[in-house]
Amino acid sequence: MISLLSGAAQTESPAVLFDNAFARGTLAASSAVADGAAANIVGPATFDYWKPTALPADLTLTLAAAETFDALALVAHDLGSKGATLVVKYSATAVSAYVTLATITPGDDTPLALIFGAVSAQRWRLELTGAVVPAIGVAMVGQRLVIPANVVAPYTPTPFAARVELLTGSSLGGQVFDSRVKRRGVQNSIRFNPVLRSWMASSLPAFARHYDSGLPFLWLASPAYDLSDVGYLRRAEGAGELRPAIASGGLWADFGLEVDGYAA
């Protein structure tokens, strides 16, 4: 689920979050169980996690210097099912007072994304309260890459893009047996209207390198129109590289993404 906070901009357009500051800062947690170290929250894997020993608990990211960000996300968490409340705070420097950005009690365990007006911060803090200790698999904070184009139809919204394999059977006499369900991750094909060639040349290369390397990213289809369309995706196995194609006339470029990813 996506939460649009005060000052959130360019929320009609699709965007990706791929440069994760949690991966380059110093982490400090109030506590952690034996197999739930704070470092696990960096990702990109979703199978390990940070899990405190008790609540309330907090985890703090300190960067070498202040950076400007406009999005934060949690993936592979169980805050919803555990009934936990998350408080997100930041401070402009390593010694200044914390400012509360948001207080949220998620209704489910799907990826959680906060989009807000750009802030400059050197520290970020996640505080957890509640009756049952939750776990968080991946935390991300960074600056979105907003794609200045619409998603081309037909497009499958991320909540409907998970693959479900159904194993059914019946007897020779026509009796119906119970079905078995094997749930798979998200699989999707995303294409965009043409973007300006100048934007492609200046803004796309860093994300293209990330995508080509098979590294995961947060996908936001159009937060202003659908708060549920958020996913933790990566280049699909067997898919080609991100190769923009210059359209006739040379002013515009076409590109798309073939992805698979995490399903809560």
Side-chain angles (χ1 to χ4, degrees):
M1 184 62 68
I2 303 169
S3 290
L4 301 180
L5 306 181
S6 176
Q10 297 179 289
T11 57
E12 298 86 359
S13 300
V16 294
L17 175 62
F18 66 96
D19 182 18
N20 184 11
F22 273 98
R24 60 177 179 273
T26 301
L27 298 176
S30 58
S31 65
V33 300
D35 59 348
N40 293 338
I41 208 170
V42 172
T46 57
F47 66 85
D48 56 11
Y49 47 83
W50 166 57
K51 184 174 183 178
T53 59
L55 297 179
D58 61 73
L59 184 147
T60 302
L61 164 69
T62 303
L63 298 168
E67 298 183 41
T68 300
F69 301 130
D70 68 357
L72 183 144
L74 302 183
V75 180
H77 65 84
D78 59 1
L79 301 181
S81 57
K82 296 296 176 62
T85 295
L86 168 72
V87 181
V88 179
K89 298 180 178 181
Y90 68 91
S91 65
T93 71
V95 295
S96 57
Y98 280 101
V99 177
T100 297
L101 179 71
T103 300
I104 296 177
T105 303
D108 56 36
D109 298 339
T110 58
L112 172 65
L114 309 181
I115 302 175
F116 43 89
V119 298
S120 176
Q122 189 172 357
R123 291 188 300 178
W124 289 86
R125 174 167 288 181
L126 308 178
E127 297 181 352
L128 300 174
T129 60
V132 183
V133 177
I136 301 174
V138 177
M140 305 178 71
V141 65
Q143 185 81 26
R144 292 171 298 150
L145 173 64
V146 177
I147 300 169
N150 294 323
V151 176
V152 174
Y155 163 73
T156 302
T158 306
F160 295 95
R163 292 293 184 181
V164 179
E165 182 180 343
L166 190 63
L167 304 177
T168 61
S170 60
S171 70
L172 293 176
Q175 299 296 330
V176 176
F177 297 151
D178 289 339
S179 298
R180 288 191 298 151
V181 173
K182 289 185 177 181
R183 298 192 180 276
R184 309 294 186 185
V186 168
Q187 293 183 348
N188 214 350
S189 179
I190 305 168
R191 295 210 62 82
F192 304 96
N193 288 125
V195 297
L196 283 170
R197 183 175 181 175
S198 56
W199 180 88
M200 176 208 72
S202 62
S203 301
L204 199 56
F207 175 63
R209 290 190 295 270
H210 187 93
Y211 174 86
D212 290 347
S213 299
L215 297 173
F217 56 91
L218 193 77
W219 161 246
L220 303 152
S222 182
Y225 300 113
D226 189 347
L227 295 176
S228 69
D229 199 341
V230 54
Y232 189 62
L233 309 177
R234 63 182 177 185
R235 174 184 171 188
E237 183 178 359
E241 298 83 0
L242 198 166
R243 294 186 174 182
I246 304 301
S248 177
L251 184 61
W252 301 90
D254 295 310
F255 75 99
L257 309 174
E258 299 295 327
V259 296
D260 59 27
Y262 173 79

